[in-house]
Amino acid sequence: LPVFVGGSIAVDSITEERERGTLELLRAAPLSATDVVDGKALAAAGLAPVQAALWVGLLELNGTSVANLPHLLVLVGALSAVVVTLAAALALLTTERRVAQLSYSMGTLVLFGGTTLHEDGPVGLAARLALDSVGPGATVVVAGYAVAAVAGYLGLRRVVARVGLD
């Protein structure tokens, strides 16, 4: 859930800046539009792993052990980065906040629903990691999500350049 909240924050933050014209004001600072979008995306994507770590801490305090914490945090961070970069790109390509938020919400519902249909999807992987019931290939799958996150970030930078904000 925190992964999808980060994406929603990114959509709102970027579309609001564009609708109100305040993105131009931010550019008065010695920052490029790419820097501004990077900062917004990083802040939104960083929420999910922090929340996940805090939740795991609460579970541990309540006597519930969670296995593979480093893998889980990398997985959550990577998924958050993927979702946030997609959301930010959508916000940049869609000038109206309502349209962007509705498109993002519908897209994440379909994405989330689709991944739960397969046991090897990110939700199932997170559950198996937490329960320590994964095979040796789990590290490779988590690394694959991290690669997807980097690709998403690079794609977002291309969208910023395409939209012509810089």
Side-chain angles (χ1 to χ4, degrees):
L1 187 59
V3 167
F4 300 115
V5 171
S8 182
I9 290 169
V11 167
D12 278 346
S13 174
I14 293 169
T15 54
E16 214 169 284
E17 295 280 4
R18 291 191 72 201
E19 279 183 354
R20 293 181 181 185
T22 53
L23 189 58
E24 291 301 317
L25 290 173
L26 289 174
R27 293 188 63 206
L31 299 172
S32 67
T34 302
D35 294 335
V36 172
V37 172
D38 281 351
K40 289 179 176 296
L42 179 61
L47 291 174
V50 170
Q51 279 184 311
L54 291 172
W55 284 352
V56 168
L58 289 173
L59 287 171
E60 295 284 343
L61 284 174
N62 286 324
T64 302
S65 180
V66 176
N68 299 304
L69 184 59
H71 283 79
L72 275 170
L73 293 179
V74 169
L75 177 64
V76 169
L79 291 173
S80 181
V82 167
V83 169
V84 166
T85 56
L86 289 173
L90 179 65
L92 290 168
L93 295 170
T94 309
T95 56
E96 189 178 328
R97 182 178 176 209
R98 287 184 202 167
V99 173
Q101 191 59 258
L102 178 63
S103 299
Y104 170 75
S105 298
M106 295 304 292
T108 54
L109 285 174
V110 169
L111 179 68
F112 179 74
T115 61
T116 60
L117 297 174
H118 196 275
E119 68 182 40
D120 290 329
V123 175
L125 177 60
R128 287 193 317 280
L129 280 168
L131 296 171
D132 202 18
S133 65
V134 291
T139 300
V140 173
V141 176
V142 171
Y145 283 115
V147 168
V150 171
Y153 171 72
L154 295 174
L156 176 60
R157 297 191 113 210
R158 290 189 67 181
V159 170
V160 173
R162 181 177 159 215
V163 171
L165 297 175
D166 269 337

